[in-house]
Amino acid sequence: MGYIVTDPTVLAATVVVVSVVYFILRGGHDPREPPLAPSSIPIIGHVVGLSRRGFNYYVDLSERTDAPIFTMSLPGQKMYVVTKPELVQVIQKQHKTLAFPPIEAKFASTVCGASLEAKAILAKNVNGDEGDFGLSMDSYAAMRAALKPGPELDDMNSSMLLEIVEALDKLEPPKGESRNLGMYGWLRGAITTATTRSVYGPMNPYNDKSVADAFWEFEAGLMSILVGVLPAITARKAIAARTKVSKAFEEYYNKGGVKLGSAYAKNRYQSEADNNLSLEDIARFEVGGSIAVLVNTAPAAFWTIVLIYSQSDLLSDIRKEVDACTETTTDDKGSVTKALNINTLKEACPLLLSAYQEVLRYCSMGTSVREVMEDIYVGSFLLKKGAMVQMPSRVIHQDASLWGASVKDFNPRRFLREEKKNRPGDACFRAFGGGKTLCPGRHFATNEILAVVAVFIARLDISPANGSWDLPTTHNTNIAATVMEPDNDIKIQVQARHGYEGVQWVVNLHHSEKIFALVTEDHIDEE
Ligand code: HEM
Ligand SMILES: *[C@@H]1O[C@H](CO)[C@@H](O)[C@H](O)[C@H]1NC(C)=O
Ligand SMILES: *[C@@H]1O[C@H](CO)[C@@H](O)[C@H](O)[C@H]1NC(C)=O
Ligand SMILES: CC(=O)N[C@H]1CO[C@H](CO)[C@@H](O)[C@@H]1O
């Protein structure tokens, strides 16, 4: 055993033999299936391509194939990759036969290190085929109910905004002084605190910085846990970090912390307890749940701020919009308070909103996945039971036949109302996924990002400590992230905005029912 693992040649040979046998046993390619993607090397060509190019490999392949869907045979797994939005819509409608919950359940069980009991509970009626019951169905419903616009979301928003304003109060240096810091590091810390505080309430386990750090260490090691080759050795650090976070959650539940948490935290807990999960497993699943809640907001805010500040014309245009909807009051002692209202921002700052949405188009790299539960035709293509369907947002977001010749550019004006005729339909915007698995956190995330970005723009002058804005590369982006993560931080110099020193800032948000409709589903009826 030890011998096989330590000798890389033996290991490689074993992988190849197993793959070849598997490939032969699974049978080849049926001509009714989507056409095969070209591969430079047989069998392992796509594995090499994916590991070299990451999610861009799907874009490379789609540019070399005309088909709206193509087949990629990976050792041990057949995959269909969808390249056209019309076909995405067809697939999303078949949500029982082309299903997400079975994949999610496997992912959650592995990533969270669930017990055998918990795995069995989660596997029961996982896809809702026998009716509307079981942990899988209950927890989807519970999360969606708590995150949709309404009073429960408003409660989360208000505590999040207080934390954001407090973090910026601490960040802003006194008049005439400046401060140097890593932009991404600061944002990720501030957003992690604000988000988790509003989700988990005053006894938030992430109040302890070492727990938050452990979460990010776990996130960085996700791949090693997922690959699962001797995880006790290869994923030792990531697993230790995960245990630290889940222990903190156990303590939180034991002390009744969830009673003071948001409806989102309460609903999740209740659906799990009602399905007889042990407290240990509830705590374990919460570590996995934190991935959806935490990993995308900070990079989205980071790119929005960096891409706006790095173009001075754009910065000044957006500043004008934000300033115009800031209310200023001066008390009898002469101290100035400025109030920003998030709802007003959503109505009166079209360029800010367009730039934010363009950041999501430009930087998103998530892929919606489905498992084929039964052989099924989509259009004229046969999809075979057991295969995986991938719908990478990047393929659609980078398609020049949809977005025009400027598709590779960051164009902050692309999503302005008057540009509507120059862009494809809303269904081509895939940053939050779509259909049954559409991100339920999009309203909360949008509020949080707009708040951070608007307050930054309104009150701070920042410049790169290096002298120029060198945008970081994004090769190391985590597989669980749907927004590209920067490989390295940018050091910035922060000052109070010239002419705005010593101002008190408040941010308001009244009634999130007034939503900013980003995705097609928001224009139709909300579930
Ligand atoms: C800019 C920030 C965010 C982006 C781009 C984003 C994007 C996504 C995407 C692409 C999915 C999968 C959709 C699919 O495959 O069709 C997803 C799922 C989800 N997101 Fe978000 N998200 C963000 C922030 C948030 C936040 C702040 C929360 C919670 C407060 C959240 C909660 C969830 C949940 C609960 C799911 C469903 C996971 C599941 O089905 O188990 N998201 N998100
Ligand atoms: C949970 O356990 C209780 C007591 O053993 C049982 O009555 C109930 O049916 C179980 N609930 C589910 C959803 O399995
Ligand atoms: C500063 O610029 C150099 C060269 O452009 C780059 O290699 C380095 O990563 C930058 N450092 C920071 C902290 O941004
Ligand atoms: C800061 C803020 O204005 N928060 C609002 C969020 O939602 C609650 C509940 O509806 C309002 O009372 C708050 O004013």
Side-chain angles (χ1 to χ4, degrees), residues 3 19 29 32 49 58 118 129 141 161 163 174 196 211 227 243 251 267 288 344 356 394 442 450 476 480 496 516:
Y3 169 74
S19 310
H29 176 256
R32 293 168 300 173
Y58 296 128
D129 293 327
L161 291 175
E163 294 286 338
T196 55
V211 173
V227 169
T243 306
E251 197 183 324
N267 283 6
T344 318
Y356 161 63
R394 203 155 179 75
R442 64 195 181 283
L450 290 179
N476 302 328
F516 167 39

Side-chain angles (χ1 to χ4, degrees), residues 435-449:
K436 275 269 169 194
T437 60
L438 176 68
C439 172
R442 64 195 181 283
H443 305 298
F444 180 83
T446 296
N447 284 343
E448 186 163 22
I449 294 165

Side-chain angles (χ1 to χ4, degrees), residues 176-443:
E177 289 175 27
S178 67
R179 173 170 297 157
N180 280 1
L181 54 97
M183 174 87 198
Y184 187 58
W186 184 86
L187 269 175
R188 199 170 80 169
I191 287 175
T192 302
T193 305
T195 307
T196 55
R197 175 65 205 264
S198 69
V199 169
Y200 296 111
M203 289 166 76
N204 172 25
Y206 294 103
N207 283 343
D208 178 346
K209 185 168 181 302
S210 71
V211 173
D213 290 345
F215 172 79
W216 292 111
E217 188 166 338
F218 156 72
E219 192 245 11
L222 257 187
M223 196 62 190
S224 63
I225 294 178
L226 270 178
V227 169
V229 184
L230 286 187
I233 298 168
T234 54
R236 197 176 47 84
K237 273 174 80 181
I239 288 173
R242 180 180 75 192
T243 306
K244 184 175 168 84
V245 183
S246 69
K247 289 291 162 206
F249 270 109
E250 264 179 50
E251 197 183 324
Y252 167 79
Y253 293 119
N254 273 323
K255 289 190 173 158
V258 74
K259 293 196 192 88
L260 306 172
S262 64
Y264 177 75
K266 283 184 192 138
N267 283 6
R268 271 180 71 94
Y269 174 80
Q270 204 55 51
S271 66
E272 291 166 332
D274 289 349
N275 282 285
N276 294 338
L277 272 194
S278 70
L279 197 70
E280 286 88 340
D281 281 312
I282 294 179
R284 288 184 185 120
F285 280 131
E286 215 52 33
V287 187
S290 299
I291 296 174
V293 173
L294 286 177
V295 298
N296 296 313
T297 313
F302 171 80
W303 296 115
T304 311
I305 292 176
V306 170
L307 286 163
I308 292 175
Y309 273 89
S310 61
Q311 303 181 27
S312 54
D313 293 353
L314 180 62
L315 176 64
S316 74
D317 287 350
I318 293 182
R319 263 191 173 154
K320 278 185 208 133
E321 280 187 350
V322 174
D323 287 346
C325 54
T326 306
E327 278 181 33
T328 309
T329 48
T330 312
D331 70 8
D332 27 351
K333 294 193 193 87
S335 58
V336 178
T337 301
K338 288 188 178 280
L340 273 171
N341 185 306
I342 300 292
N343 289 339
T344 318
L345 279 182
K346 290 186 191 173
E347 283 155 17
C349 301
L351 185 56
L352 170 65
L353 294 193
S354 173
Y356 161 63
Q357 192 165 358
E358 172 70 347
V359 166
L360 291 179
R361 179 197 72 88
Y362 187 67
C363 298
S364 72
M365 43 140 289
T367 160
S368 300
V369 288
R370 303 289 187 266
E371 184 173 329
V372 185
M373 307 306 284
E374 297 296 336
D375 286 7
I376 183 178
Y377 273 97
V378 295
S380 56
F381 300 106
L382 172 66
L383 307 189
K384 290 211 164 168
K385 181 176 173 171
M388 187 102 98
V389 180
Q390 301 251 17
M391 301 180 275
S393 59
R394 203 155 179 75
V395 169
I396 290 172
H397 288 174
Q398 295 289 320
D399 186 339
S401 74
L402 296 170
W403 300 90
S406 71
V407 69
K408 306 266 178 200
D409 303 336
F410 173 72
N411 171 7
R413 290 165 209 276
R414 194 184 299 277
F415 287 93
L416 288 174
R417 186 173 301 165
E418 57 268 29
E419 292 294 320
K420 199 169 174 64
K421 58 183 184 312
N422 298 325
R423 63 172 189 264
D426 292 345
C428 296
F429 177 74
R430 301 280 311 162
F432 292 108
K436 275 269 169 194
T437 60
L438 176 68
C439 172
R442 64 195 181 283
H443 305 298

Side-chain angles (χ1 to χ4, degrees), residues 101-111 122 126 226 371:
I103 300 177
E104 157 100 316
K106 279 173 226 159
F107 180 84
S109 297
T110 309
V111 161
L122 187 56
V126 65
L226 270 178
E371 184 173 329

Side-chain angles (χ1 to χ4, degrees), residues 466 470 488-491:
N466 247 0
D470 303 314
N488 58 283
D489 208 342
I490 298 185
K491 284 265 175 298

Side-chain angles (χ1 to χ4, degrees), residues 150-159 161-162 507-513:
E152 293 174 337
L153 179 66
D154 286 349
D155 285 347
M156 263 172 74
N157 79 49
S158 66
S159 65
L161 291 175
L162 288 175
V507 179
N508 293 310
L509 173 68
H510 301 295
H511 310 304
S512 57
E513 283 86 349

